[in-house]
Amino acid sequence: MNIEKDTCEGHNPNPDAIEIVRNKACSRQIMEDIAATFKILGDPVRVSILHALSISTLCVCDLAELLNMSHSAISHQLRILRTARMVRCEKHGRKAFYRLEDDHVETIIQTALAHLTEDGCATDRRNK
């Protein structure tokens, strides 16, 4: 029986490849910042908020209704997202409207959707 191994046999690194990566790789601090971003995105409520905001600018009331959560719970999640510079708030009178901070946040959400689905959740919505 031939079992394919998922490791190298022996230790024989390629110095040229390692040097190329070392010269182009980001700093450890950047990697830690990216990991922190993914931790923030590791919460389904926050991802749901970002997905909703990728569709439309919404106020806290809209998000609370949409996600069936309290205003304070939504505000708490929005505070985390705002601190991470993923959303921005604009006050209009007594209402606080939220939108994505920039196109990069939308790209993250859309890329994840494209990776997991072929049609951006249309099939998923029909099955509910």
Side-chain angles (χ1 to χ4, degrees):
M1 184 174 189
N2 186 9
I3 299 175
E4 193 174 319
K5 294 185 178 183
D6 59 357
T7 62
C8 296
E9 292 186 21
H11 184 74
N12 189 17
N14 179 341
D16 294 333
I18 292 168
E19 189 63 25
I20 289 169
V21 173
R22 277 195 178 131
N23 289 332
K24 291 185 178 184
C26 295
S27 70
R28 183 169 185 84
Q29 182 60 53
I30 296 291
M31 294 298 106
E32 289 174 8
D33 292 346
I34 291 171
T37 297
F38 281 111
K39 283 182 185 178
I40 290 168
L41 295 173
D43 183 281
V45 170
R46 289 192 285 267
V47 172
S48 296
I49 290 170
L50 293 174
H51 178 55
L53 295 176
S54 76
I55 297 168
S56 178
T57 298
L58 298 167
C59 74
V60 175
C61 302
D62 298 333
L63 288 164
E65 184 70 25
L66 184 66
L67 299 176
N68 197 27
M69 296 175 65
S70 69
H71 286 210
S72 62
I74 292 293
S75 293
H76 173 73
Q77 298 303 328
L78 286 167
R79 195 171 311 113
I80 292 168
L81 293 169
R82 208 170 49 245
T83 301
R85 298 183 351 240
M86 292 185 182
V87 300
R88 76 171 53 166
C89 177
E90 295 175 5
K91 294 282 266 184
H92 293 273
R94 296 178 57 129
K95 288 196 172 225
F97 287 91
Y98 284 84
R99 63 184 189 143
L100 298 181
E101 178 65 36
D102 57 36
D103 292 339
H104 298 112
V105 179
E106 183 170 6
T107 299
I108 292 168
I109 297 302
Q110 295 306 320
T111 301
L113 282 170
H115 177 69
L116 295 171
T117 67
E118 292 183 21
D119 54 9
C121 295
T123 303
D124 188 40
R125 280 193 298 269
R126 286 192 300 260
N127 291 332
K128 287 187 176 183

